[in-house]
Amino acid sequence: MRIIDARVIVSCPGRNFVTLKIETESGVYGVGDATLNGREMAVVSYLTEHVVPQLIGRDASRISDLWEYLYKGAYWRRGPVTMTAIAAVDTALWDIKGKVAGLPVYQLLGGRARDGVTVYGHANAAGFDGLLSEISGYADLGYRAVRIQTGIPGLSSTYGVSKDRMFYEPADAALPTENVWSTARYLNHIPTVFQQVRAEFGPDLKLLHDVHHRLTPIEAARLGKSLEPYDLTWMEDPVPAELQEGFRLIRQHTTTPIAVGEVFNTIWDCQQLITEQLIDYIRATVVHAGGITHLRRIFDLAALYHVRSGSHGATDLSPVCMAAALHVDVSIPNFGLQEYMRHTPETDEVFPHAYHFEDGYLFPGEEPGLGVDIDEEKAARYPYRPASLPVNRLEDGTVHSW
C-alpha cells in the first residue's frame, strides 16, 4: 500500500492548525496533527521540504520502520519541530491502518482498558467570585476534575486567565506580548484560593493547578507543602524541567503529586523523572512526542514506575490530535487524566470527529481509524494568521519563564 501523495494543510478556524494528509494508492488516506503553537510554520517547512518528498512511494503499513527512518535518518534528532513533524506522519499512518483494518485505532493498540476517558476542564477567572462560577459550570456539565487558575492581586495579567472563559488561547498577537510576574505575590495568594475552593466544593471534585515552569525547586516545594491540606490531584510544571534533579528537592518536601511533560518530545526527556519516581503524571502528548508510536513507549515505561498519563490537551492540539490521544488513553493500563479544552464551533466544523463528551468522560468513537477528518474546503476559508506566545518578565524587567 504505497503512499502516492502527502500534503500539508494550514488553517486558522479560531487559531492556527497544521494538518498532514497522507494518501495511498488504494484511495485510503490518513490525517495527522502537526501544530506547534507559535512556531507552526517551522513545522510546515520541515514537512514540506524534508519529510514529504521522502514519503512518496513508501509502504504506508510500515509504521515502525518509517518512524525510525524519519528519526534516525535526519541525524539531527529530537527537538519540537522534528518530533512534531514525525508525529504527524505517524498519526496519519495509524489512521490509515485503522481504516484498512476496519477498526478504530484503539482496537489495534490492544482494545479497551476502560469505558471512557476522564477529562478535566479549565476554570479560570481574575477574581474569586468569577472562579466559583466557572467551577460550578464545569461541575454542572459533569466534569469530575477541574484545573484552577486565577488572577494574582497586583499583577495586570496571569497565565491561564483568559478574557474568553470558553476558548482560552494564549497566542494572542503576531509578535509576543509581555506579561509581568511576581513569585512572592503568587505564593502568598494561591493557597488561599484553594482553601476557599475546597471549602466550597468539598472533597470529591479533583482539583489541579498549573504553575507553568515559574518557580525554583525550593519555591515549588513551599507551594506544594502549602497546598497539601487541599488534596490536589496534581501540581503541574512546578519548575523548568531542564534540570530534572530539581524535582528530587521538591519530592523531599511535599507529598502534593507532580505532573510534567507537555513540552517533552521524547522518552529521553522524561527518563530520569520516571525511573527515579520524581513525578506522578507524565503529560507528553501525541503531537509533540513523536506520535502514537513513541507516546506508547513513554507510557509503557511510566507504567513500570507507578507514573500515570495526563496528556496535554489544550486548544493548540487540533481535533486530530485529540482523537489520537483518546485512542491511546482508552487502551493503556496506567491512564490518569486527559486535559480537554473545547474547540470553537469553527474548528469543529473544519475537523468533523466521532469522539464525544458525556458525563465527565470523552469517548473516542467506533469509526475505523482515528474517527476524525479535515474538510479542506472549509479549512481554506480560514487562512493562517501569525500568532505568538507571550514573553514573561519579573517586576524589575528580568525575562522569566512564561
Side-chain angles (χ1 to χ4, degrees):
M1 186 170 55
R2 300 293 170 184
I3 296 171
I4 61 169
D5 190 26
R7 290 180 291 109
V8 181
I9 304 163
V10 184
S11 62
C12 186
R15 58 112 40 242
N16 292 316
F17 296 110
V18 180
T19 308
L20 178 67
K21 186 173 184 177
I22 296 178
E23 300 181 7
T24 67
E25 59 189 350
S26 66
V28 178
Y29 66 86
V31 291
D33 187 9
T35 306
L36 184 62
N37 200 356
R39 294 293 184 269
E40 293 92 351
M41 300 310 288
V43 184
V44 171
S45 178
Y46 192 97
L47 283 168
T48 303
E49 297 180 18
H50 304 291
V51 174
V52 167
Q54 299 178 47
L55 295 177
I56 306 305
R58 296 193 179 275
D59 186 347
S61 68
R62 297 185 61 170
I63 298 176
S64 294
D65 180 69
L66 267 170
W67 197 98
E68 296 292 335
Y69 180 88
L70 294 174
Y71 180 79
K72 295 178 178 176
Y75 184 71
W76 311 106
R77 301 181 184 183
R78 303 164 70 176
V81 174
T82 295
M83 297 306 289
T84 299
I86 292 175
V89 176
D90 183 82
T91 305
L93 295 180
W94 277 103
D95 191 23
I96 290 170
K97 188 173 286 287
K99 290 174 179 176
V100 170
L103 294 170
V105 166
Y106 77 81
Q107 292 287 14
L108 306 181
L109 300 176
R112 287 185 180 274
R114 59 199 43 81
D115 296 327
V117 173
T118 306
V119 298
Y120 69 90
H122 287 208
N124 70 91
F128 187 69
D129 289 342
L131 181 64
L132 289 181
S133 176
E134 289 297 307
I135 299 171
S136 295
Y138 279 104
D140 291 343
L141 290 171
Y143 282 78
R144 292 165 169 79
V146 182
R147 193 186 83 166
I148 306 298
Q149 308 294 136
T150 183
I152 309 300
L155 299 182
S156 60
S157 62
T158 306
Y159 165 78
V161 178
S162 59
K163 295 178 182 178
D164 188 329
R165 296 278 80 80
M166 184 73 75
F167 308 112
Y168 173 58
E169 174 50 60
D172 56 2
L175 295 176
T177 56
E178 295 194 5
N179 298 161
V180 177
W181 176 251
S182 168
T183 296
R185 295 176 190 269
Y186 169 77
L187 289 176
N188 288 330
H189 179 63
I190 288 299
T192 68
V193 172
F194 278 90
Q195 180 183 33
Q196 295 177 75
V197 169
R198 188 56 85 190
E200 182 76 20
F201 290 93
D204 294 333
L205 184 65
K206 296 179 185 295
L207 302 180
L208 305 87
H209 178 63
D210 186 2
V211 184
H212 221 245
H213 325 276
R214 296 185 174 201
L215 303 180
T216 65
I218 200 65
E219 290 167 347
R222 171 187 161 186
L223 177 63
K225 193 169 185 64
S226 70
L227 293 175
E228 284 178 10
Y230 315 118
D231 189 26
L232 268 65
T233 296
W234 75 47
M235 175 175 66
E236 180 182 335
D237 291 339
V239 297
E242 287 90 341
L243 179 63
Q244 300 199 351
E245 290 184 1
F247 286 80
R248 188 177 296 115
L249 180 59
I250 303 173
R251 272 284 202 244
Q252 291 169 353
H253 293 280
T254 181
T255 58
T256 295
I258 299 170
V260 70
E262 70 182 49
V263 299
F264 289 171
N265 307 130
T266 70
I267 196 170
W268 296 280
D269 295 327
C270 50
Q271 180 182 8
Q272 180 183 4
L273 292 174
I274 290 172
T275 59
E276 296 187 19
Q277 300 181 68
L278 301 178
I279 60 174
D280 303 278
Y281 295 88
I282 178 65
R283 301 197 64 250
T285 192
V286 171
V287 68
H288 298 143
I292 292 172
T293 297
H294 194 67
L295 188 64
R296 276 297 300 260
R297 293 173 186 168
I298 293 173
F299 289 162
D300 285 345
L301 175 66
L304 300 179
Y305 295 91
H306 309 290
V307 175
R308 288 179 283 182
S309 73
S311 288
H312 182 55
T315 49
D316 58 314
L317 279 62
S318 85
V320 174
C321 183
M322 179 56 69
L326 294 175
H327 286 277
V328 175
D329 292 339
V330 83
S331 65
I332 59 173
N334 57 324
F335 171 76
L337 280 175
Q338 171 67 55
E339 181 178 18
Y340 174 50
M341 291 183 70
R342 288 163 288 181
H343 290 106
T344 65
E346 293 83 3
T347 296
D348 288 336
E349 184 181 22
V350 169
F351 297 96
H353 52 266
Y355 68 79
H356 69 280
F357 174 86
E358 183 180 343
D359 195 27
Y361 300 102
L362 277 177
F363 299 88
E366 297 299 317
E367 292 186 5
L370 296 175
V372 64
D373 205 347
I374 181 169
D375 186 320
E376 295 188 60
E377 288 188 7
K378 292 178 180 176
R381 300 175 189 169
Y382 303 99
Y384 169 78
R385 293 183 300 176
S388 299
L389 294 171
V391 170
N392 209 31
R393 294 184 183 271
L394 300 180
E395 291 178 298
D396 68 358
T398 303
V399 175
H400 191 66
S401 295
W402 175 77

